[in-house]
Amino acid sequence: MPQGLTNALEDWKGLEDEYQQLQETHRMYLQKLDEISKLQNNCSSSISRQRKRLKEISQRVKECSKGPSDEDAKNMDEIKEKIKMRSNVFFEMEAFLPKKNGLYLSLVLGNVNVTLLSKQSKFAYKDEYEKFKLCSTVLLLLCSFICCFFVSYRFLDAILNFLLVWYYCTLTIRESILITNGSRIKGWWVFHHYVSTFLSGPEFFHLARAGFVQCLQCYYQSGCLYRLRALGERHNMDLTVEGFQSWMWKGLTFLLPFLFFGHFWQLFNGLSLFRMAQLPDCKEWQVLMCGVCFLILFMGNFFTTLAVVRQKLKSRNQKPKSL
């Protein structure tokens, strides 16, 4: 038998052995998947039952809270605290269990499971989300400067507007996936991006201001996120606007003036559009609508930022006491 044929037969035998091993590994993989699916269903059902019973117990405790003795009041306070802690534990558990998509994700993606089932996958997606925001913002800023100062073609203007709409729509989808995976992002920031989608592109300076502030925020948030995760003190999908450490003040105090300047710039835009809408020559309804949107953005951004700063100050003051 030729040497080449002998070598080919030996290679085929080795490949056949690997194929048999691959089949066995794949069979075990399918078996584990089935077991995981059953465990996921059992965990989800148990959490639902626990929540239902906790709600019933909480209602009973509330009914018995009228005129209790000191010992009974102490016991009820302990139960209330444990119920609150149990709810937080359930939230952490559900971050690793498949769940139904919300209305927005159902409309966009359908009934597709977007739950990431490992900490590494969650961190990788969150990290990629931050990089997407930074890269997209830099690209949009560059395009806006080119359209404003160097090129004045309507075609390029339309492309920029399309990119803005695409960016904010993509951002809302990615944030909805983050929320499904346990992120505690505040609802206002998601709503803010819906409003920004409507306002995309009508004003260059609004885009430049938003882009510059977003770059600063991304730098600040990324640094905080890595430090907090390295210390093991935060959830994998947190967006760093939650949680606080004393070393954050250096970056936060630098960022806040730019944030508040942007918020009051939105207020100025809104008031200017309202005055413009009152002029006799202004017949378009879009002017008034844009003014309303800018006012909504100002109020939401301003009061949400104040709430976050208040929360961070409270956490900072409580930290030394706990030590």
Side-chain angles (χ1 to χ4, degrees), residues 17-80:
D17 293 338
E18 290 182 8
Y19 176 69
Q20 295 297 330
Q21 185 178 359
L22 172 61
Q23 281 189 318
E24 179 63 21
T25 303
H26 188 262
R27 185 191 64 79
M28 292 177 61
Y29 168 71
L30 294 178
Q31 180 181 347
K32 295 297 182 182
L33 276 182
D34 187 56
E35 293 176 3
I36 289 174
S37 180
K38 291 179 180 178
L39 287 173
Q40 289 172 345
N41 293 333
N42 290 337
C43 286
S44 298
S45 300
S46 298
I47 290 175
S48 297
R49 287 195 299 269
Q50 285 272 319
R51 278 206 168 114
K52 184 178 180 181
R53 295 184 64 182
L54 285 177
K55 187 176 181 181
E56 294 173 355
I57 294 174
S58 179
Q59 186 63 30
R60 292 176 189 173
V61 171
K62 187 181 295 185
E63 293 174 355
C64 299
S65 60
K66 297 179 180 178
S69 62
D70 293 340
E71 184 177 355
D72 292 339
K74 183 179 179 180
N75 291 332
M76 286 190 292
D77 290 339
E78 290 180 357
I79 292 176
K80 291 178 180 178

Side-chain angles (χ1 to χ4, degrees), residues 10-271:
E10 290 177 356
D11 290 342
W12 174 257
K13 184 179 179 181
L15 186 63
E16 188 72 16
D17 293 338
E18 290 182 8
Y19 176 69
Q20 295 297 330
Q21 185 178 359
L22 172 61
Q23 281 189 318
E24 179 63 21
T25 303
H26 188 262
R27 185 191 64 79
M28 292 177 61
Y29 168 71
L30 294 178
Q31 180 181 347
K32 295 297 182 182
L33 276 182
D34 187 56
E35 293 176 3
I36 289 174
S37 180
K38 291 179 180 178
L39 287 173
Q40 289 172 345
N41 293 333
N42 290 337
C43 286
S44 298
S45 300
S46 298
I47 290 175
S48 297
R49 287 195 299 269
Q50 285 272 319
R51 278 206 168 114
K52 184 178 180 181
R53 295 184 64 182
L54 285 177
K55 187 176 181 181
E56 294 173 355
I57 294 174
S58 179
Q59 186 63 30
R60 292 176 189 173
V61 171
K62 187 181 295 185
E63 293 174 355
C64 299
S65 60
K66 297 179 180 178
S69 62
D70 293 340
E71 184 177 355
D72 292 339
K74 183 179 179 180
N75 291 332
M76 286 190 292
D77 290 339
E78 290 180 357
I79 292 176
K80 291 178 180 178
E81 186 64 26
K82 289 181 179 179
I83 289 175
K84 184 178 179 180
M85 292 176 61
R86 192 73 56 85
S87 299
N88 294 332
V89 172
F90 289 157
F91 180 84
E92 297 288 338
M93 288 181 177
E94 287 179 331
F96 295 92
L97 292 172
K99 58 180 69 68
K100 292 183 178 179
N101 295 334
L103 177 61
Y104 181 62
L105 279 182
S106 297
L107 292 174
V108 175
L109 302 178
N111 192 25
V112 178
N113 181 21
V114 295
T115 305
L116 304 172
L117 301 181
S118 69
K119 291 183 178 180
Q120 293 79 8
S121 299
K122 291 177 183 290
F123 173 74
Y125 188 81
K126 176 62 183 67
D127 188 54
E128 198 274 335
Y129 162 81
E130 296 288 356
K131 291 177 180 177
F132 167 77
K133 286 201 304 182
L134 179 60
C135 295
S136 299
T137 301
V138 172
L139 175 63
L140 289 169
L141 276 174
L142 181 62
C143 293
S144 62
F145 273 105
I146 292 174
C147 290
C148 185
F149 296 110
F150 300 103
V151 181
S152 59
Y153 292 118
R154 177 60 186 152
F155 174 72
L156 295 178
D157 233 5
I159 290 179
L160 177 60
N161 292 341
F162 169 78
L163 289 175
L164 282 168
V165 174
W166 168 80
Y167 168 70
Y168 282 115
C169 288
T170 305
L171 212 58
T172 56
I173 295 173
R174 288 174 180 248
E175 287 171 346
S176 298
I177 294 176
L178 286 171
I179 292 172
T180 301
N181 283 277
S183 175
R184 296 180 176 89
I185 182 173
K186 293 183 181 297
W188 162 252
W189 302 124
V190 180
F191 180 74
H192 170 273
H193 293 143
Y194 289 116
V195 180
S196 297
T197 303
F198 177 79
L199 286 174
S200 293
E203 186 177 349
F204 164 76
F205 291 107
H206 169 65
L207 171 62
R209 189 274 316 165
F212 178 68
V213 173
Q214 281 188 17
C215 288
L216 293 178
Q217 281 181 305
C218 184
Y219 177 77
Y220 169 74
Q221 289 180 344
S222 297
C224 292
L225 188 67
Y226 279 104
R227 291 191 189 184
L228 289 173
R229 188 172 289 106
L231 294 172
E233 299 191 14
R234 295 304 296 169
H235 189 273
N236 285 301
M237 300 301 284
D238 279 359
L239 297 186
T240 70
V241 292
E242 311 286 345
F244 174 75
Q245 299 293 327
S246 59
W247 46 263
M248 291 182 186
W249 274 112
K250 184 177 180 180
L252 184 63
T253 51
F254 172 77
L255 181 61
L256 283 176
F258 295 99
L259 288 175
F260 285 119
F261 173 79
H263 301 340
F264 284 103
W265 180 261
Q266 290 170 336
L267 176 62
F268 172 77
N269 286 337
L271 295 177

